[in-house]
Amino acid sequence: MSNKAEELSLNEEKKSSKIQWFLFVIVIPLFFAIAIALVVMTMSGINVFDLAKKYSGDIPIISSIVSNDEDKEEVSDSVFSLKATIEDQKAEIANLQAEIESKQKDLKASQEEIDKLVNEIKALEEKEKEATIKLEELAKVYETMSAKKSAAILSVMANKDSIEILVKLNNETRAAVLEKMEPKKAAELTVLLKAEENKAEINNEG
């Protein structure tokens, strides 16, 4: 048993010495030589990484690793570009939506202003209609009065007010009233009546 143990111990020592010899004689000097070569090449201005990339293409395994790294970089760049495009499109969509909302607000405000003006026009038309009815009723009152009395009242009124009533009178009553007025007043009102008749004719033609 003692001899076998000694033999095993000797074998292990031989293996250990071989490994140590391999490390000290081959591996360590090789790494040291590579390190010196890298330092010398770098100091000489040679890009070691580009050179390694160039010649690694001839080595299948290394070439595959380098190629995969390049593919990953290209994919990363594509993803970044797509994300940037998406963000730009989102910003453009947001701007367009804001513009649409602004236009809608402007349209709403314009429509409200139009509605307001339409309501004002309707109110004025209603007032005009009511005033016309009152004038017609007032004219009927003057038609029931004597021409002399009507002439006396209309003569002291402002020409504008007198004309509004005279226009509503029938031709016969109007002529009788003007006849009872002073010539100067009658002449003034006759000129204004003619102007009103011309205006009415133009409005009717329009």
Side-chain angles (χ1 to χ4, degrees):
M1 293 293 293
S2 173
N3 291 333
K4 287 183 179 181
E6 289 177 0
E7 287 178 3
L8 289 171
S9 177
L10 288 172
N11 289 333
E12 288 178 358
E13 287 179 2
K14 287 179 181 181
K15 289 180 181 179
S16 176
S17 62
K18 285 181 180 180
I19 292 171
Q20 289 177 356
W21 180 86
F22 181 76
L23 287 172
F24 285 108
V25 175
I26 296 176
V27 175
I28 292 175
L30 179 62
F31 280 122
F32 186 71
I34 291 171
I36 292 173
L38 289 172
V39 171
V40 171
M41 291 172 73
T42 302
M43 292 179 67
S44 300
I46 299 172
N47 193 323
V48 178
F49 296 102
D50 289 344
L51 191 65
K53 186 177 180 180
K54 178 179 177 183
Y55 289 103
S56 64
D58 298 332
I59 305 172
I61 296 174
I62 297 175
S63 176
S64 175
I65 293 170
V66 172
S67 177
N68 287 338
D69 289 340
E70 290 177 350
D71 291 342
K72 288 178 182 178
E73 187 175 350
E74 288 179 2
V75 170
S76 178
D77 290 341
S78 298
V79 170
F80 180 79
S81 177
L82 287 171
K83 284 183 177 179
T85 302
I86 290 169
E87 292 300 321
D88 290 341
Q89 289 175 343
K90 284 182 178 179
E92 188 174 354
I93 289 170
N95 289 334
L96 290 172
Q97 287 177 337
E99 187 174 351
I100 289 170
E101 289 175 1
S102 177
K103 296 291 184 185
Q104 286 176 337
K105 288 179 181 178
D106 291 341
L107 286 172
K108 185 178 179 182
S110 298
Q111 187 60 48
E112 288 176 353
E113 185 66 22
I114 290 169
D115 292 341
K116 181 182 176 182
L117 292 172
V118 168
N119 290 332
E120 287 179 0
I121 290 170
K122 287 180 178 178
L124 290 172
E125 287 176 344
E126 190 64 28
K127 287 181 179 179
E128 183 182 358
K129 185 178 178 181
E130 290 175 0
T132 301
I133 292 171
K134 288 179 179 179
L135 278 173
E136 289 174 351
E137 292 175 351
L138 188 58
K140 288 178 181 178
V141 172
Y142 277 90
E143 287 177 353
T144 61
M145 294 167 60
S146 66
K148 185 178 180 180
K149 192 172 183 180
S150 296
I153 296 171
L154 293 173
S155 294
V156 297
M157 291 172 61
N159 288 344
K160 180 186 66 155
D161 298 330
S162 299
I163 289 298
E164 287 180 349
I165 295 172
L166 287 170
V167 168
K168 299 298 180 182
L169 297 175
N170 59 56
N171 292 334
E172 184 179 350
T173 304
R174 186 189 305 142
V177 170
L178 289 172
E179 187 178 349
K180 296 296 182 181
M181 287 183 179
E182 292 181 2
K184 185 179 178 182
K185 186 69 172 180
E188 291 176 359
L189 293 176
T190 300
V191 172
L192 293 173
L193 277 169
K194 187 63 177 176
E196 284 295 320
E197 288 174 357
N198 291 337
K199 190 190 295 183
E201 287 177 4
I202 292 171
N203 290 335
N204 291 332
E205 289 176 359

